[in-house]
Amino acid sequence: VQLVESGGGLVQAGGSLRLSCAASGFTFDEYTVGWFRQAPGKEREGISCTNTRDGLTYYADSVKGRFTISTDNAKNTAFLEMNTLKPEDTAVYYCAADHWKGFGCGHQTYEYEYWGQGTQVTVSS
């Protein structure tokens, strides 16, 4: 199982970025996928997750209304569309995956076995 993130970069406040998470070794239709981020000196936090079995999604309050998670099962890729970015969104962003557990998706780090290497997102003010 391998996850590879891409799409990070430097953007001005108010701008947008689209992160991608390409998966190999498994298919998203049997897994939950989550997006996490870790800012310097802070713990890794779950910001969004979804699965394609029941379609339920989760967004942390800090990103709700600005970020959108999606998957393209044909390409085995997950996305995180980030709009109206703020300086406090600056962090390393990680995608993660684990077997779907029958309902919804988790947003805690211990709920995921497979992790990507992370991609840096920097939002300037």
Side-chain angles (χ1 to χ4, degrees), residues 70-88:
S70 63
T71 60
D72 183 334
N73 286 2
K75 296 181 179 179
N76 224 29
T77 301
F79 303 96
L80 186 69
E81 186 76 34
M82 307 187 295
N83 298 313
T84 320
L85 283 161
K86 305 174 181 180
E88 51 264 44

Side-chain angles (χ1 to χ4, degrees), residues 4 6 11 19 22-23 26-27 29 35 53 59 68-69 82-83 95 97 113 124:
V4 179
S6 61
V11 63
L19 304 184
F26 71 98
T27 56
D29 60 355
W35 284 96
R53 299 297 291 274
Y59 295 98
T68 303
I69 190 171
M82 307 187 295
N83 298 313
C95 67
E113 181 175 359
S124 63

Side-chain angles (χ1 to χ4, degrees), residues 18-80:
R18 189 192 196 201
L19 304 184
S20 299
C21 174
S24 60
F26 71 98
T27 56
F28 277 130
D29 60 355
E30 297 180 357
Y31 280 67
T32 293
V33 60
W35 284 96
F36 293 75
R37 67 185 182 187
Q38 188 166 19
K42 295 188 176 181
E43 294 187 354
R44 191 170 299 188
E45 63 166 333
I47 55 173
S48 186
C49 64
T50 190
N51 74 82
T52 60
R53 299 297 291 274
D54 62 20
L56 293 178
T57 60
Y58 162 84
Y59 295 98
D61 288 342
S62 57
V63 306
K64 197 173 296 181
R66 300 187 298 122
F67 291 10
T68 303
I69 190 171
S70 63
T71 60
D72 183 334
N73 286 2
K75 296 181 179 179
N76 224 29
T77 301
F79 303 96
L80 186 69

